[in-house]
Amino acid sequence: TEVAGENVKGMKLDDIVSRMKGEEGTSVTLTIVRGDETLKIDVTRRKIDSVLVAGKMLDNNIGYITISQFEGVTLEQFNNAFDDLKKQGMQGLIIDVRGNPGGRLDTVTDILDRLLPEGLIVYMQDKNGKREEIRSDAECDLDVPCAVLVNGNSASASEVFSGALQDYGLAGIIGTQTFGKGIVQSSFAFRDGTGLKFTTSKYYTPKGINIHGTGFEPDIKVKSNGKMTALKESGYKVDNQINAALDYLTIALKSKR
Protein backbone atom coordinates (compact mmCIF):
# COMPACT_ATOMS: atom_id res chain seq x y z
CA THR A 1 0.00 0.00 0.00
CA GLU A 2 3.03 2.29 0.45
CA VAL A 3 6.53 2.55 -1.03
CA ALA A 4 9.02 4.54 1.07
CA GLY A 5 6.10 6.05 2.98
CA GLU A 6 4.21 7.14 -0.14
CA ASN A 7 0.67 5.83 -0.60
CA VAL A 8 0.44 4.02 -3.96
CA LYS A 9 -3.32 3.48 -4.06
CA GLY A 10 -4.65 4.16 -7.56
CA MET A 11 -1.18 4.27 -9.16
CA LYS A 12 -0.32 2.27 -12.27
CA LEU A 13 1.81 -0.83 -11.69
CA ASP A 14 4.74 0.61 -13.68
CA ASP A 15 4.76 3.72 -11.48
CA ILE A 16 4.76 1.62 -8.30
CA VAL A 17 7.58 -0.57 -9.58
CA SER A 18 9.66 2.46 -10.58
CA ARG A 19 9.41 3.71 -6.98
CA MET A 20 10.65 0.34 -5.70
CA LYS A 21 13.68 0.35 -8.00
CA GLY A 22 16.92 2.11 -7.15
CA GLU A 23 20.66 1.73 -6.83
CA GLU A 24 21.84 -1.78 -6.00
CA GLY A 25 22.63 -2.22 -2.31
CA THR A 26 20.22 0.47 -1.13
CA SER A 27 16.97 -0.43 0.66
CA VAL A 28 13.34 0.60 0.38
CA THR A 29 10.52 0.20 2.90
CA LEU A 30 7.35 -1.45 1.61
CA THR A 31 4.09 -1.31 3.54
CA ILE A 32 2.08 -4.48 2.93
CA VAL A 33 -1.43 -5.31 4.09
CA ARG A 34 -1.83 -9.03 4.65
CA GLY A 35 -5.32 -9.85 5.90
CA ASP A 36 -5.87 -7.74 9.01
CA GLU A 37 -2.15 -7.22 9.49
CA THR A 38 -0.11 -4.25 8.25
CA LEU A 39 3.61 -4.99 7.75
CA LYS A 40 6.53 -2.69 7.07
CA ILE A 41 9.35 -4.57 5.35
CA ASP A 42 12.79 -3.24 4.41
CA VAL A 43 13.87 -4.73 1.08
CA THR A 44 17.48 -4.53 -0.12
CA ARG A 45 17.69 -3.78 -3.83
CA ARG A 46 19.74 -6.06 -6.05
CA LYS A 47 19.80 -7.27 -9.63
CA ILE A 48 17.32 -10.08 -10.22
CA ASP A 49 17.50 -12.40 -13.21
CA SER A 50 14.07 -13.92 -13.73
CA VAL A 51 13.79 -17.63 -14.39
CA LEU A 52 12.17 -17.71 -17.84
CA VAL A 53 13.13 -21.24 -18.90
CA ALA A 54 12.61 -24.56 -17.12
CA GLY A 55 13.45 -28.07 -18.28
CA LYS A 56 12.77 -31.59 -17.09
CA MET A 57 12.73 -35.14 -18.42
CA LEU A 58 9.33 -36.75 -18.92
CA ASP A 59 8.57 -40.41 -19.58
CA ASN A 60 10.41 -42.35 -22.32
CA ASN A 61 13.31 -39.87 -22.31
CA ILE A 62 11.17 -37.07 -23.75
CA GLY A 63 12.61 -33.71 -22.73
CA TYR A 64 10.32 -30.82 -21.85
CA ILE A 65 11.38 -27.15 -21.93
CA THR A 66 9.04 -24.28 -21.20
CA ILE A 67 9.94 -20.72 -22.29
CA SER A 68 7.80 -18.02 -20.70
CA GLN A 69 9.42 -15.05 -22.52
CA PHE A 70 12.32 -14.26 -24.86
CA GLU A 71 14.46 -11.84 -22.87
CA GLY A 72 18.19 -11.31 -22.35
CA VAL A 73 18.57 -14.16 -19.84
CA THR A 74 16.50 -16.61 -21.90
CA LEU A 75 19.31 -17.73 -24.22
CA GLU A 76 21.65 -18.91 -21.46
CA GLN A 77 18.80 -20.53 -19.54
CA PHE A 78 17.61 -22.35 -22.67
CA ASN A 79 21.12 -23.57 -23.52
CA ASN A 80 21.58 -24.88 -19.98
CA ALA A 81 18.25 -26.72 -20.03
CA PHE A 82 18.85 -28.12 -23.53
CA ASP A 83 22.39 -29.30 -22.68
CA ASP A 84 21.23 -30.91 -19.44
CA LEU A 85 18.49 -32.87 -21.22
CA LYS A 86 20.93 -34.03 -23.90
CA LYS A 87 23.29 -35.32 -21.20
CA GLN A 88 20.40 -37.27 -19.71
CA GLY A 89 19.84 -39.05 -23.04
CA MET A 90 16.94 -37.07 -24.46
CA GLN A 91 15.22 -38.94 -27.34
CA GLY A 92 12.56 -36.35 -28.15
CA LEU A 93 11.79 -32.76 -27.15
CA ILE A 94 8.70 -30.71 -26.31
CA ILE A 95 9.17 -26.93 -26.28
CA ASP A 96 6.28 -25.10 -24.64
CA VAL A 97 5.69 -21.46 -25.63
CA ARG A 98 2.04 -21.34 -24.61
CA GLY A 99 1.29 -17.96 -23.06
CA ASN A 100 4.66 -16.60 -24.19
CA PRO A 101 4.01 -13.01 -25.38
CA GLY A 102 7.35 -12.73 -27.23
CA GLY A 103 10.24 -10.48 -26.34
CA ARG A 104 13.59 -9.81 -27.96
CA LEU A 105 14.08 -10.79 -31.59
CA ASP A 106 17.84 -11.30 -31.14
CA THR A 107 17.21 -13.79 -28.33
CA VAL A 108 14.77 -15.95 -30.28
CA THR A 109 16.99 -15.94 -33.39
CA ASP A 110 20.04 -16.90 -31.30
CA ILE A 111 18.12 -19.89 -29.94
CA LEU A 112 16.91 -20.82 -33.43
CA ASP A 113 20.47 -20.51 -34.75
CA ARG A 114 21.34 -23.44 -32.49
CA LEU A 115 18.35 -25.53 -33.54
CA LEU A 116 18.16 -24.91 -37.29
CA PRO A 117 20.44 -25.98 -40.14
CA GLU A 118 22.16 -23.37 -42.28
CA GLY A 119 19.66 -21.03 -43.86
CA LEU A 120 17.11 -18.30 -43.34
CA ILE A 121 15.62 -17.91 -39.83
CA VAL A 122 13.36 -14.90 -40.39
CA TYR A 123 13.29 -11.77 -42.52
CA MET A 124 11.87 -8.29 -42.03
CA GLN A 125 10.50 -6.14 -44.84
CA ASP A 126 9.49 -2.48 -44.63
CA LYS A 127 6.82 -0.61 -46.62
CA ASN A 128 9.35 0.18 -49.37
CA GLY A 129 10.19 -3.49 -49.86
CA LYS A 130 13.61 -3.24 -48.19
CA ARG A 131 14.42 -6.65 -46.77
CA GLU A 132 16.64 -7.59 -43.84
CA GLU A 133 17.48 -11.25 -43.28
CA ILE A 134 18.66 -13.16 -40.20
CA ARG A 135 20.30 -16.47 -41.00
CA SER A 136 21.62 -19.50 -39.11
CA ASP A 137 24.98 -21.19 -39.57
CA ALA A 138 25.55 -24.82 -40.53
CA GLU A 139 25.55 -26.23 -36.98
CA CYS A 140 22.25 -27.84 -35.98
CA ASP A 141 21.90 -29.32 -32.49
CA LEU A 142 18.28 -30.43 -32.82
CA ASP A 143 18.77 -34.08 -33.77
CA VAL A 144 15.68 -35.55 -32.08
CA PRO A 145 11.96 -35.34 -32.97
CA CYS A 146 10.43 -32.14 -31.62
CA ALA A 147 6.98 -30.74 -30.82
CA VAL A 148 6.15 -27.11 -30.02
CA LEU A 149 3.11 -26.24 -27.91
CA VAL A 150 1.27 -22.98 -28.73
CA ASN A 151 -1.98 -21.23 -27.88
CA GLY A 152 -3.78 -17.92 -28.43
CA ASN A 153 -1.34 -16.08 -26.19
CA SER A 154 1.76 -17.26 -28.07
CA ALA A 155 2.74 -14.07 -29.86
CA SER A 156 5.47 -12.21 -31.72
CA ALA A 157 8.86 -13.87 -31.02
CA SER A 158 7.00 -17.06 -30.05
CA GLU A 159 5.51 -17.12 -33.53
CA VAL A 160 8.92 -16.47 -35.12
CA PHE A 161 10.18 -19.45 -33.11
CA SER A 162 7.31 -21.80 -33.98
CA GLY A 163 7.10 -20.70 -37.61
CA ALA A 164 10.78 -21.29 -38.33
CA LEU A 165 10.79 -24.79 -36.84
CA GLN A 166 7.59 -25.59 -38.72
CA ASP A 167 8.92 -24.28 -42.05
CA TYR A 168 12.05 -26.44 -41.74
CA GLY A 169 9.96 -29.48 -40.84
CA LEU A 170 11.83 -29.89 -37.57
CA ALA A 171 8.84 -29.71 -35.23
CA GLY A 172 5.15 -30.47 -35.12
CA ILE A 173 3.14 -27.50 -33.85
CA ILE A 174 0.44 -28.58 -31.39
CA GLY A 175 -2.28 -26.61 -29.59
CA THR A 176 -4.53 -23.78 -30.73
CA GLN A 177 -4.23 -20.83 -33.11
CA THR A 178 -1.53 -18.32 -32.14
CA PHE A 179 -2.06 -14.61 -31.42
CA GLY A 180 -0.90 -13.12 -34.72
CA LYS A 181 1.67 -10.38 -34.11
CA GLY A 182 3.94 -10.25 -37.14
CA ILE A 183 5.30 -6.72 -36.98
CA VAL A 184 8.57 -5.15 -35.85
CA GLN A 185 8.19 -2.11 -33.60
CA SER A 186 10.61 0.56 -32.43
CA SER A 187 10.34 3.19 -29.72
CA PHE A 188 11.58 6.75 -29.36
CA ALA A 189 11.90 8.53 -26.00
CA PHE A 190 11.23 12.24 -25.56
CA ARG A 191 12.87 14.52 -23.01
CA ASP A 192 9.67 14.99 -21.02
CA GLY A 193 9.50 11.28 -20.22
CA THR A 194 6.90 10.38 -22.82
CA GLY A 195 7.64 8.27 -25.86
CA LEU A 196 6.43 7.03 -29.21
CA LYS A 197 6.15 3.40 -30.28
CA PHE A 198 5.76 2.76 -33.99
CA THR A 199 5.79 -0.07 -36.53
CA THR A 200 8.79 -0.18 -38.85
CA SER A 201 8.36 -3.43 -40.77
CA LYS A 202 6.70 -6.84 -40.93
CA TYR A 203 8.48 -10.11 -40.29
CA TYR A 204 8.14 -13.27 -42.32
CA THR A 205 8.93 -16.95 -41.70
CA PRO A 206 11.54 -18.66 -43.92
CA LYS A 207 8.79 -19.63 -46.38
CA GLY A 208 7.56 -16.03 -46.60
CA ILE A 209 4.53 -16.27 -44.31
CA ASN A 210 3.39 -13.22 -42.34
CA ILE A 211 0.81 -14.04 -39.70
CA HIS A 212 -0.01 -10.53 -38.46
CA GLY A 213 -3.65 -10.26 -37.49
CA THR A 214 -4.36 -13.92 -38.14
CA GLY A 215 -1.85 -16.09 -36.28
CA PHE A 216 -1.16 -19.55 -37.61
CA GLU A 217 -2.92 -22.85 -37.24
CA PRO A 218 -1.05 -25.66 -35.50
CA ASP A 219 -0.34 -28.91 -37.32
CA ILE A 220 -2.36 -30.74 -34.67
CA LYS A 221 -5.25 -28.82 -33.10
CA VAL A 222 -5.78 -29.65 -29.46
CA LYS A 223 -7.85 -27.42 -27.18
CA SER A 224 -6.90 -27.42 -23.51
CA ASN A 225 -9.44 -29.19 -21.28
CA GLY A 226 -7.86 -27.87 -18.07
CA LYS A 227 -7.38 -31.36 -16.63
CA MET A 228 -4.09 -32.72 -15.30
CA THR A 229 -3.02 -36.37 -15.20
CA ALA A 230 0.10 -38.01 -13.76
CA LEU A 231 2.59 -39.73 -16.06
CA LYS A 232 3.28 -43.39 -15.25
CA GLU A 233 7.08 -43.26 -14.93
CA SER A 234 8.07 -39.78 -13.80
CA GLY A 235 4.84 -38.96 -11.98
CA TYR A 236 4.82 -35.44 -13.42
CA LYS A 237 1.36 -34.00 -13.85
CA VAL A 238 0.65 -32.90 -17.42
CA ASP A 239 -2.35 -31.57 -19.32
CA ASN A 240 -3.99 -32.97 -22.45
CA GLN A 241 -1.93 -30.77 -24.80
CA ILE A 242 1.36 -32.08 -23.38
CA ASN A 243 -0.07 -35.59 -23.64
CA ALA A 244 -0.85 -34.91 -27.31
CA ALA A 245 2.78 -33.84 -27.83
CA LEU A 246 4.00 -37.01 -26.11
CA ASP A 247 1.80 -39.11 -28.39
CA TYR A 248 3.11 -37.25 -31.44
CA LEU A 249 6.73 -37.85 -30.42
CA THR A 250 6.10 -41.52 -29.59
CA ILE A 251 4.84 -42.06 -33.13
CA ALA A 252 7.77 -40.07 -34.57
CA LEU A 253 10.29 -42.15 -32.62
CA LYS A 254 8.72 -45.42 -33.75
CA SER A 255 8.84 -44.37 -37.40
CA LYS A 256 12.45 -43.21 -36.93
CA ARG A 257 13.45 -46.70 -35.80
Side-chain angles (χ1 to χ4, degrees):
T1 56
E2 294 180 0
V3 177
E6 182 182 4
N7 192 306
V8 295
K9 184 179 180 180
M11 286 187 187
K12 293 181 179 179
L13 179 61
D14 288 347
D15 292 334
I16 298 172
V17 171
S18 68
R19 284 165 170 75
M20 294 180 188
K21 291 182 177 180
E23 186 177 347
E24 187 169 9
T26 62
S27 64
V28 61
T29 301
L30 306 180
T31 303
I32 298 170
V33 174
R34 185 177 295 161
D36 296 329
E37 190 177 13
T38 299
L39 307 172
K40 287 189 180 292
I41 301 175
D42 290 325
V43 179
T44 301
R45 297 179 172 108
R46 71 173 187 265
K47 183 180 178 182
I48 301 295
D49 285 333
S50 301
V51 178
L52 302 179
V53 179
K56 58 188 175 185
M57 191 70 80
L58 304 181
D59 292 7
N60 301 317
N61 288 325
I62 302 297
Y64 174 81
I65 296 177
T66 178
I67 307 174
S68 58
Q69 203 161 339
F70 292 99
E71 296 299 337
V73 297
T74 306
L75 176 61
E76 182 180 359
Q77 292 179 9
F78 177 85
N79 285 336
N80 290 339
F82 188 82
D83 290 340
D84 182 58
L85 289 170
K86 289 194 78 171
K87 288 177 182 176
Q88 294 182 55
M90 175 175 66
Q91 298 297 308
L93 176 62
I94 300 170
I95 303 176
D96 192 344
V97 293
R98 292 176 296 177
N100 184 324
R104 292 173 52 165
L105 183 63
D106 61 341
T107 298
V108 71
T109 54
D110 282 344
I111 292 174
L112 285 168
D113 186 22
R114 178 171 187 182
L115 302 178
L116 299 179
E118 184 175 9
L120 184 62
I121 296 176
V122 65
Y123 69 90
M124 288 72 70
Q125 188 166 302
D126 65 18
K127 65 180 181 180
N128 298 316
K130 184 180 179 182
R131 175 166 162 164
E132 178 186 352
E133 296 183 351
I134 300 176
R135 306 183 68 86
S136 61
D137 59 26
E139 295 180 20
C140 175
D141 285 344
L142 185 59
D143 54 2
V144 297
C146 181
V148 176
L149 293 175
V150 298
N151 64 10
N153 292 318
S154 303
S156 192
S158 295
E159 293 171 298
V160 171
F161 182 81
S162 307
L165 287 168
Q166 185 182 51
D167 279 6
Y168 277 90
L170 291 175
I173 311 301
I174 299 172
T176 55
Q177 185 171 337
T178 61
F179 182 83
K181 183 173 185 284
I183 54 176
V184 180
Q185 293 180 304
S186 300
S187 58
F188 184 85
F190 298 112
R191 292 178 182 177
D192 63 357
T194 62
L196 177 67
K197 192 173 186 180
F198 51 96
T199 300
T200 55
S201 59
K202 294 180 179 180
Y203 69 70
Y204 296 81
T205 70
K207 289 186 176 180
I209 300 170
N210 176 265
I211 44 73
H212 189 67
T214 60
F216 64 81
E217 296 285 345
D219 300 310
I220 301 173
K221 297 179 184 178
V222 181
K223 189 176 180 180
S224 174
N225 62 13
K227 296 179 180 179
M228 305 291 286
T229 57
L231 295 175
K232 292 180 180 179
E233 294 178 15
S234 63
Y236 286 124
K237 290 187 176 181
V238 298
D239 59 26
N240 64 309
Q241 291 176 318
I242 296 177
N243 269 319
L246 288 168
D247 291 342
Y248 169 84
L249 292 175
T250 298
I251 295 170
L253 287 167
K254 285 180 179 178
S255 63
K256 189 177 179 182
R257 297 190 188 105

